[in-house]
Amino acid sequence: MNNVFVFCEIDEGKIADVSQELLTKGRSLANELKCSLEAVVIGSKLEGIENEIAPYGTDIIHVADDKRLEFYLTLPFTTIIVDLFKKQQPQIALFGATSVGRDLGPRVSSALKSGLTADCTSLVIGNHEDKKEGKVYENLLYQIRPAFGGNIIATIINPDCRPQMATVREGVMKKEIFNKNHKSKVVAIDVNKVVTDIDFAVEIIERHMEPRKIDIKGSQVIVSGGYGVGSRENFKLLYELAHVLGGEVGASRAAVDAGYADHARQVGQTGVTVRPKLYIACGISGQVQHTAGMEESAMIISINTDPTAPITKIADYNIIGDVGEVVPRLIEAYRKHSK
Amino acid sequence: MKGLKIIVLAKQVPDTRNVGKDAMKADGTVNRAALPAIFNPEDLNALEQALRIKDTYPGTTVTLLTMGPGRAAEIIREGMYRGADNGYLLTDRAFAGSDTLATSYAISCAIKKIDFDLIIAGRQAIDGDTAQVGPQVAEKLGLPQITYAEHINKIVKNRITIQRRLERGIETVTAPLPCLITVNATAPECRPRNAKQLMKFKHAKTVTELQSAVEDYYKLHEDRPYLRIPELSVIDVAADTNWLGLAGSPTKVKAIENVVFVAKDAKQLTADQKDLDWLMGELVANHTLG
C-alpha cells in the first residue's frame, strides 16, 4: 500500500524507453519515501517481461496478459489500472507522456478523482505548508513543468488526493539499471475478472507503424536550426555540417512550424530531449520550450546575429554572425583540424 | 444516414506566443484579461471535422460549447461565422481557478443538458498543453474516447471510423456513437469565415453582452432568436460547487517561477575564419569532436 507505481508501456514487444526512465526515477523516489516500487504492465504474450523490468529495482510487478490487450485500448487499460489503484492505493503513479500515457493518464485521474500533471520535466519530494488551513503536508511529489507556452516554470502539488499522478516525456529522465540481477515478485492480474465486454467498444481495424527513421537522440553531435536559418534551402548547410561532424540535424519548433525541417527532428518541450556532447544552435533564439530539450548538452555553441538572444546565456561559445556565412567556414575549419 | 447532433468543445486561450509581464496573477493563475485571446488552434481543427460531417450528412447540427469569462463569447461567434449552428457559453465565477479535473466536471455537467450524438474537441489547448480535458470529459460521461484523430473516414450504422495519428504511424479504429473525439493539429485546417454566416450571426450575443451593448439589440434578438448565445451558470448545469474552482481542483500551484536565464561564462567569437579555426581546434583538442 502507498507505494510508487510506474505504468510500463510495451513498444514492439519490449518495455518502452520512457518506462525504463520512469522506473529509474520511481526507484529513487521510493528510496527517498522508504516505500516500494511497483510496476504495472499490460499486453499480450508477456511471458518473461519481468526480466526486463526487475533490473530497474522494482519490488512487485503486476502483469495483465490477455490476447485482447496486444495493442493499447483506452477502456480496458483504464479499467485494469483503476481497479489496481483502488486496491493498492499508490501514493505516486507515473506514466510516459506518449500517445498512450497521455490518453490513459487523464482517464485514470478522472475515474479516481485525483490530480494529474502533464509533461513534467522534474519530479522532487518536498513538504508543503498550507498557511490558510494551518496544515503541513510532508513528502509530497513536486511536479515541475513549464507552463503557459514555456514562459513560466510551475511547481504543482496534489496535497489531498492520491495517487499523485504525473506524465513525463521520453528522454527527460535518465535511465539507469539498479541491479541487473535484481529479482522482483510478479503478480498476475486476472483480466477476465476485471474487464467487461463494454470495455472493447472501440475496435482497432488497421495499424500502420513505421520504425523510427529519424532518431536524433542517439547522436553525440547535433547541429540544430531555428527560424533564423531562414529557409529549407539554408537548412541544407546544417545537414552538410552535421554530416562532416558525424552528427544529426535538429530543429526548433519555429523551424518545424515554418516547414524547414520534419517534426521528428524537433528538439524541446514538444519534441525530443537531447544530451549530446556538442549542440550547435544555428539561428535559434533560445526560448525555454527549446532549451528545455537541449540545455543538458555537454557543450553548446550558438550562431546568432543577435548577441542578446536568450540562447547566448546558456551557450559556452557564442559566434555572432550569420548562419549562412559561419557554417561553411566551420566546415572548412574542421577539415583543417581533423586531418 | 440522418444528420448528427455534434458538440464541439472549444476554448478561448491567451496567445502564449505574445506574453507580457502582467500575465500571471499572484496566486499563480493566469491573468487572462492582460493577454490577446484567440480560438485555441486545435479546437479549430476539431470544428473543421464537425463541419465536414455536416457537409456529408445534411441535417447535422454543430453546437459550440465553451467555458470561460464573458469575452469567450467571441469564439462562439467566430465558430458560427465558419459554419457552426449555435453555441453555449458556460460561465460562472465559481469556475475560476479550476484545474483540468474541475474543468472537465463543469463541462460534463453542461453536456448532460444538451442533446448530442458526438463530441469533438481539440487535442490540447496552447495555454496548458495538457491534453487532459477531452479524456476526462469522456470518462465523466462514460463515453469511449478516440484521441489524436486526424481524419473521420465514415459513419455507418451508428459506428464512426476514425484515423488516429500516433508517434510512429497511424491507426484506424471504429467506435460506437455517442463518443468523444480529440483532434490533432495534423488534421486539416479550419475553413475560413463564410460571408453569409458572418452576416447572419454578426449580432449574435449573450444576455450579458446585450445588456452592456451601446446599441439596442433587444428587438433584433426578439425577431431572430437564433442570435442569442445562451449563458450557462453553475445552477443551470446543476453542478456541485465542491467539485469546482480552486476548492474542487486536486492539483494546486505551489510555486511559479518566471523563466530567467542564468548567465554562464561564455566566450564570444566573431564570424571570422580565424576565430572559427581556433574554435574547431579547441573542440578537436578536447575530444568534443572526433
Side-chain angles (χ1 to χ4, degrees):
Chain A
M1 297 285 262
N2 298 323
N3 290 326
V4 174
F5 273 67
V6 172
F7 170 71
C8 290
E9 202 173 309
I10 299 285
D11 184 19
E12 290 176 348
K14 286 187 162 14
I15 299 296
D17 281 351
V18 67
S19 305
Q20 298 172 32
E21 293 156 13
L22 289 177
L23 286 166
T24 306
K25 185 71 196 178
R27 183 67 261 169
S28 76
L29 292 174
N31 288 351
E32 204 175 337
L33 296 165
K34 300 188 175 60
C35 68
S36 297
L37 172 65
E38 304 192 28
V40 49
V41 56
I42 303 173
S44 172
K45 297 187 186 132
L46 297 178
E47 305 87 45
I49 199 78
E50 62 273 14
N51 301 326
E52 281 184 51
I53 299 173
Y56 291 96
T58 48
D59 299 289
I60 300 175
I61 303 170
H62 302 266
V63 182
D65 192 341
D66 188 296
K67 64 176 189 308
R68 293 170 294 175
L69 303 174
E70 180 182 2
F71 301 114
Y72 172 74
L73 287 166
T74 308
L75 299 176
F77 276 57
T78 302
T79 302
I80 291 167
I81 300 273
V82 169
D83 180 75
L84 180 69
F85 284 4
K86 278 185 177 163
K87 287 178 187 147
Q88 301 298 328
Q89 303 286 319
Q91 58 172 308
I92 291 173
L94 307 178
F95 297 78
T98 58
S99 61
V100 170
R102 281 164 65 90
D103 182 275
L104 176 63
R107 189 102 190 173
V108 171
S109 93
S110 176
L112 296 174
K113 298 190 172 59
S114 188
L116 168 66
T117 305
D119 299 343
C120 295
T121 50
S122 174
L123 297 169
V124 181
I125 302 296
N127 298 339
H128 174 65
E129 190 187 348
D130 186 333
K131 285 181 182 137
K132 243 190 250 164
E133 305 273 324
K135 235 172 140 181
V136 176
Y137 296 87
E138 285 183 352
N139 291 330
L140 288 183
L141 182 68
Y142 288 4
Q143 301 147 51
I144 299 161
R145 75 179 300 249
F148 213 50
N151 294 284
I152 55 169
I153 303 290
T155 302
I156 311 289
I157 49 171
N158 305 9
D160 299 305
C161 301
R162 295 291 175 273
Q164 305 166 82
M165 294 177 50
T167 67
V168 179
R169 281 181 186 275
E170 183 181 334
V172 172
M173 304 283 170
K174 280 181 190 140
K175 132 174 123 183
E176 212 166 64
I177 297 278
F178 172 72
N179 172 358
K180 69 179 193 316
N181 299 319
H182 186 79
K183 289 283 172 269
S184 182
K185 187 179 158 191
V186 178
V187 179
I189 294 171
D190 190 343
V191 175
N192 283 321
K193 265 197 178 154
V194 182
V195 301
T196 60
D197 287 347
I198 304 164
D199 287 326
F200 295 93
V202 176
E203 284 172 45
I204 298 170
I205 53 177
E206 213 178 343
R207 276 171 66 90
H208 279 289
M209 292 299 140
E210 292 149 11
R212 272 178 221 218
K213 278 183 198 135
I214 306 164
D215 183 12
I216 65 171
K217 281 199 322 175
S219 187
Q220 290 297 321
V221 176
I222 294 175
V223 180
S224 205
Y227 191 68
V229 172
S231 67
R232 204 175 170 104
E233 194 65 19
N234 282 357
F235 244 80
K236 284 186 184 156
L237 286 172
L238 274 48
Y239 283 97
E240 273 178 52
L241 178 60
H243 178 72
V244 171
L245 302 180
E248 269 290 355
V249 171
S252 72
R253 181 175 179 167
V256 172
D257 285 350
Y260 301 167
D262 294 333
H263 177 75
R265 300 193 181 276
Q266 188 174 314
V267 172
Q269 198 196 343
T270 50
V272 295
T273 302
V274 295
R275 294 191 187 82
K277 276 164 75 179
L278 175 62
Y279 190 91
I280 305 180
C282 306
I284 292 177
S285 64
Q287 296 295 323
V288 69
Q289 295 97 311
H290 182 75
T291 57
M294 47 66 77
E295 64 198 347
E296 286 189 38
S297 304
M299 183 172 291
I300 299 167
I301 297 174
S302 159
I303 306 171
N304 208 303
T305 48
D306 178 5
T308 65
I311 189 86
T312 59
K313 304 288 191 295
I314 64 161
D316 299 279
Y317 295 97
N318 283 303
I319 303 169
I320 307 305
D322 183 74
V323 171
E325 279 177 43
V326 173
V327 171
R329 287 177 193 164
L330 279 177
I331 294 171
E332 193 188 318
Y334 178 72
R335 288 205 166 112
K336 266 186 226 167
H337 287 283
S338 61
K339 270 174 198 162
Chain B
M1 203 198 69
K2 69 174 174 61
L4 295 178
K5 292 189 251 331
I6 305 175
I7 297 176
V8 173
L9 301 182
K11 185 180 185 186
Q12 190 181 42
V13 289
D15 191 346
T16 51
R17 292 160 295 194
N18 296 300
V19 174
K21 279 208 170 67
D22 48 355
M24 303 304 296
K25 290 192 234 168
D27 64 357
T29 55
V30 177
N31 182 13
R32 283 168 203 279
L35 287 156
I38 59 169
F39 202 122
N40 180 53
E42 284 182 329
D43 298 343
L44 280 173
N45 297 103
L47 175 60
E48 176 59 26
Q49 289 302 317
L51 295 175
R52 286 182 179 208
I53 294 174
K54 188 178 167 183
D55 294 342
T56 315
Y57 304 103
T60 293
T61 55
V62 176
T63 300
L64 285 157
L65 172 61
T66 190
M67 174 168 135
R71 72 191 280 205
E74 290 165 7
I75 67 162
I76 294 178
R77 272 189 295 278
E78 182 63 42
M80 288 167 156
Y81 298 161
R82 292 173 191 244
D85 297 277
N86 52 40
Y88 291 90
L89 173 62
L90 182 56
T91 188
D92 201 304
R93 289 204 169 273
F95 298 138
S98 293
D99 71 357
T100 65
L101 199 72
T103 300
S104 310
Y105 171 69
I107 291 172
S108 68
C109 289
I111 291 173
K112 283 177 187 166
K113 301 284 170 191
I114 307 171
D115 192 18
F116 70 94
D117 302 299
L118 177 63
I119 303 168
I120 311 181
R123 176 188 54 139
Q124 62 188 32
I126 57 168
D127 55 347
D129 288 327
T130 71
Q132 290 174 6
V133 171
Q136 288 175 336
V137 168
E139 195 281 334
K140 302 232 172 287
L141 295 170
L143 298 177
Q145 71 197 41
I146 298 92
T147 50
Y148 308 102
E150 183 164 73
H151 183 64
I152 292 173
N153 304 32
K154 58 182 178 185
I155 303 167
V156 180
K157 287 186 188 150
N158 236 30
R159 276 193 89 84
I160 185 163
T161 308
I162 299 152
Q163 184 178 305
R164 308 176 67 213
R165 167 66 53 180
L166 306 177
E167 285 100 344
R168 273 188 286 144
I170 51 174
E171 184 179 88
T172 309
V173 302
T174 70
L177 293 176
C179 63
L180 184 147
I181 300 171
T182 74
V183 180
N184 252 6
T186 52
E189 264 181 52
C190 191
R191 63 197 63 187
R193 294 175 174 185
N194 170 298
K196 259 193 193 160
Q197 293 277 121
L198 181 62
M199 290 309 292
K200 183 176 173 190
F201 288 114
K202 202 164 63 177
H203 298 301
K205 288 187 190 325
T206 61
V207 172
T208 312
E209 286 175 320
L210 274 185
Q211 286 164 351
S212 56
V214 179
E215 286 173 66
D216 185 356
Y217 292 106
Y218 283 93
K219 177 76 176 68
L220 186 69
H221 273 228
E222 218 167 88
D223 296 343
R224 302 175 191 172
Y226 61 83
L227 290 179
R228 181 65 53 87
I229 299 172
E231 287 177 325
L232 301 175
S233 68
V234 167
I235 294 165
D236 294 330
V237 302
D240 179 346
T241 48
N242 289 323
W243 294 103
L244 296 172
L246 285 171
S249 299
T251 59
K252 315 279 179 207
V253 178
K254 176 168 172 62
I256 287 287
E257 192 187 324
N258 285 308
V259 173
V260 185
F261 289 96
V262 186
K264 193 151 88 166
D265 201 12
K267 273 205 172 62
Q268 190 141 326
L269 305 170
T270 70
D272 286 350
Q273 189 71 55
K274 181 166 60 69
D275 272 17
L276 303 178
D277 282 352
W278 173 84
L279 175 64
M280 279 299 173
E282 284 282 291
L283 297 180
V284 171
N286 67 22
H287 303 288
T288 298
L289 287 175

